[in-house]
Amino acid sequence: QVQLVESGGGLVQPGGSLRLSCAASGSILRINDMAWYRQAPGKQREWVAAIPSGGSTHSADSVKGRFTVSRDNAKNTMYLQMNSLKPEDTAVYYCNADVVDRPTVVRRTYWGQGTQVTVSS
């Protein structure tokens, strides 16, 4: 059983910063691609940023220059550093990871439960 748990969300002023974490736990052989998604009220879930195992990073145009995705493989944790936050960044942020588990060596995609980010003055 593999679980992803997001943390670090909260209320922040416009122009402020937050750092989100996504910690993977369980019987993990390796984690391949990891990504952040978000969903605002009344809107579809959208992709935000990704950090594949190959070492590259990618982000949506709406957050480029403001958000930075990183990962610490020793901790099985992915981060999203969010700077210059805007009200339109308000959403539930979800962690997604492509995981190969240890007992079965089977690849599966997992989702976290999400963490709320609210940007408001």
Side-chain angles (χ1 to χ4, degrees):
Q1 194 73 30
V2 175
Q3 292 182 321
L4 304 178
V5 179
E6 302 95 336
S7 62
L11 176 65
V12 65
Q13 303 268 59
S17 298
L18 283 174
R19 190 173 82 148
L20 305 184
S21 299
C22 169
S25 62
S27 187
I28 298 169
L29 180 62
R30 64 178 180 269
I31 303 176
N32 298 319
D33 297 353
M34 302 187 80
W36 289 99
Y37 291 77
R38 67 185 182 187
Q39 187 168 22
K43 295 188 176 182
Q44 298 292 105
R45 186 173 297 186
E46 65 174 339
W47 173 79
V48 175
I51 182 164
S53 60
S56 61
T57 62
H58 314 272
S59 61
D61 289 342
S62 59
V63 305
K64 279 183 178 175
R66 300 188 298 120
F67 291 10
T68 302
V69 63
S70 61
R71 61 194 286 178
D72 184 339
N73 291 326
K75 297 180 179 180
N76 287 331
T77 300
M78 175 179 64
Y79 305 95
L80 185 67
Q81 179 65 49
M82 304 185 294
N83 299 324
S84 302
L85 283 161
K86 304 174 180 179
E88 49 263 46
D89 295 318
T90 296
V92 177
Y93 284 71
Y94 295 92
C95 176
N96 176 270
D98 186 55
V99 179
V100 179
D101 67 19
R102 185 169 297 279
T104 63
V105 199
V106 171
R107 183 180 65 83
R108 246 201 70 179
T109 298
Y110 293 87
W111 288 91
Q113 292 298 115
T115 185
Q116 176 71 49
V117 172
T118 302
V119 185
S120 180
S121 58

